[in-house]
Amino acid sequence: MKKSSKREFGSIRMLDSGKFQATYKFGGRTIYNPQAFLTKGEAKSWLAAEQFRLMNGERPDKLKKPQPCTFGECATEYLELKTNRDGYPLSPSYVAKCQQHLKGKLSVFVNEDIATISSQMIEAWWVRETRQGHRASTANAYRFLRAVLRKAVRDGQHDGPNPCQILGAGSAKSGSQLAAISSSELASIVSFASPQFAVYLTLSFVAAMRFEEATALRVSDVIKTQIDGAPSYSLRISKSVVRVGGEFVVGPTKTKAGSRITHLPTSIHGMLENYLGSLTDGPESLLFPSEQQGTYIHNSVLNKQLKRVCNAAGLESKRFTLHSLRRGGATALSENGATPAEVQQLLGDQSLAAAMLYVRPTTRLAALIEKFDLSGVS
């Protein structure tokens, strides 16, 4: 007879800092340890003490009147303890972006007691920020504000409901359309680029990569195989790199689906082979190192290079960015007949809705409608 296993009280996980966080459920709420523990044993002891208190009819401290907590303190705790949908710690790029919001758009709330933040305060902040433009970045800051307040409501640090009640604020857009580079425009731009930047632009387009993914590539991520005696190349995308506090931090791709292997078309084999032949630092060296320091290239440097070659190609009015390459590759794949699921696979997006944001309307609509056979309709 199989021996039944005893269910343990609560759960423990290790944080990026190497410390341990303990949690348990009570009354539909998740109760956290007040501070991270140095050892797993300390976390187990805390859980045991909490279990003993509950058995004796006491309530968790989190459900008692909490100590005053500023929004900045609650936001810092949120970034430390929150995990993504796959149970992993938040990505360094997301944490860095949220920390920038705390220093910028959300700085007005940082020293406020989170219990006193009201809907009126948030509405006034929203109006003030959106009047200055940059609606997309304000919406991004609003989503972070809403998430921190949601946790505060759940943990009893704010008497609900969540004061973030502005309809549509979390999905507001700037109104400017993100441009997508076409295949012909890419060819014009590449003709004015250095060999390294030409390959960077081309791979970013055909693999529809985020710039954090392209910058993190190593030489060994270009995979050469033989198919029916002919060479075939593919690209392994498994890492991303962001700059946090002046330091480059390498981590996983933005989503689990972002870790992928993408086929590279035969038409770029010659360019790719010539570039690989010029690299001499071994398979684990960066595929696109900084020319000055030999380390990762910052996206601001890449965007400046892109602006320069666009101006040289007479495309300065397009206002292309590195993300225009990602959207251009996705659009080109769609125009060539790819299904939405195939576009999502190329982009490495977690959801189909996220992938479709990168695909602009194609120019094939009239031609597709023309194919309707309605000859039997009188």
Side-chain angles (χ1 to χ4, degrees):
M1 181 177 178
K2 185 177 180 181
K3 185 177 179 181
S4 60
S5 59
K6 184 178 180 181
R7 181 179 178 86
E8 293 186 1
F9 175 76
S11 61
I12 299 172
R13 73 180 182 95
M14 180 183 287
L15 304 174
D16 283 348
S17 62
K19 295 181 180 180
F20 293 87
Q21 177 214 342
T23 63
Y24 64 91
K25 296 285 187 180
F26 183 87
R29 291 184 177 180
T30 301
I31 309 300
Y32 297 89
N33 58 284
Q35 61 184 16
F37 296 110
L38 293 176
T39 67
K40 192 173 184 179
E42 291 177 351
K44 287 183 176 180
S45 297
W46 180 80
L47 284 174
E50 289 292 295
Q51 186 178 24
F52 180 79
R53 291 174 58 202
L54 296 181
M55 291 172 64
N56 283 278
E58 296 185 43
R59 291 169 63 82
D61 289 337
K62 281 283 185 179
L63 298 183
K64 299 177 182 178
K65 187 172 179 61
Q67 293 294 317
C69 178
T70 66
F71 174 78
E73 292 168 341
C74 292
T76 300
E77 182 185 66
Y78 173 88
L79 294 174
E80 172 71 9
L81 301 180
K82 176 68 175 173
T83 58
N84 63 21
R85 68 180 68 185
D86 298 316
Y88 294 107
L90 299 175
S91 69
S93 59
Y94 177 77
V95 172
K97 186 179 293 184
C98 291
Q99 289 171 342
Q100 289 174 357
H101 288 322
L102 292 175
K103 296 176 182 178
K105 289 185 176 295
L106 298 178
S107 60
V108 65
F109 296 113
V110 167
N111 294 320
E112 286 284 342
D113 183 344
I114 199 164
T116 66
I117 296 178
S118 65
S119 297
Q120 291 80 6
M121 292 171 63
I122 294 171
E123 288 167 1
W125 166 82
W126 173 261
V127 170
R128 184 170 61 252
E129 290 293 329
T130 53
R131 277 178 179 169
Q132 300 175 17
H134 306 289
R135 288 177 61 85
S137 59
T138 304
N140 192 295
Y142 177 85
R143 290 195 295 272
F144 177 47
L145 172 66
R146 183 176 58 190
V148 174
L149 282 163
R150 184 187 299 123
K151 180 181 183 300
V153 170
R154 183 195 67 192
D155 293 348
Q157 294 167 320
H158 189 290
D159 293 331
N162 191 330
C164 288
Q165 299 291 334
I166 303 174
L167 186 63
S171 57
K173 295 179 174 58
S174 64
S176 59
Q177 183 74 5
L178 176 65
I181 293 177
S182 67
S183 300
S184 59
E185 289 168 336
L186 177 68
S188 297
I189 293 169
V190 164
S191 66
F192 291 96
S194 66
Q196 183 194 72
F197 196 44
V199 176
Y200 185 99
L201 294 171
T202 303
L203 291 187
S204 295
F205 179 88
V206 299
M209 285 185 288
R210 303 172 179 91
F211 68 84
E212 303 101 319
E213 296 169 344
T215 308
L217 289 172
R218 303 265 170 185
V219 174
S220 59
D221 290 322
V222 180
I223 305 169
K224 183 177 182 180
T225 57
Q226 294 284 329
I227 298 180
D228 297 330
S232 176
Y233 284 94
S234 57
L235 194 64
R236 181 194 300 111
I237 305 167
S238 60
K239 300 289 183 183
S240 66
V241 60
V242 295
R243 194 170 185 177
V244 180
E247 299 288 335
F248 288 104
V249 179
V250 181
T253 52
K254 184 177 181 180
T255 65
K256 189 175 181 180
S259 183
R260 60 205 188 273
I261 294 179
T262 300
H263 174 75
L264 300 178
T266 306
S267 57
I268 70 168
H269 284 188
M271 167 195 281
L272 189 58
E273 288 172 349
N274 288 337
Y275 179 67
L276 291 174
S278 69
L279 303 178
T280 58
D281 291 337
E284 294 310 310
S285 61
L286 290 173
L287 187 61
F288 303 113
S290 168
E291 295 180 358
Q292 287 77 23
Q293 301 173 341
T295 184
Y296 300 102
I297 306 177
H298 195 270
N299 67 301
S300 62
V301 174
L302 293 168
N303 270 314
K304 287 178 182 178
Q305 291 186 40
L306 179 58
K307 182 177 181 180
R308 178 181 57 79
V309 295
C310 285
N311 290 344
L315 298 171
E316 61 271 15
S317 63
K318 296 287 187 174
R319 302 181 68 179
F320 289 137
T321 68
L322 296 175
H323 264 63
S324 301
L325 295 160
R326 177 168 163 81
R327 189 171 195 195
T331 301
L333 189 69
S334 179
E335 289 180 331
N336 287 333
T339 65
E342 289 167 334
V343 174
Q344 179 185 357
Q345 183 179 357
L346 175 72
L347 288 164
D349 274 325
Q350 196 77 12
S351 69
L352 187 60
M356 291 300 97
L357 292 175
Y358 281 90
V359 181
R360 69 180 180 186
T362 69
T363 57
R364 302 185 303 154
L365 183 58
L368 292 172
I369 293 176
E370 189 64 32
K371 292 182 180 180
F372 289 178
D373 184 2
L374 302 178
S375 57
V377 178
S378 57

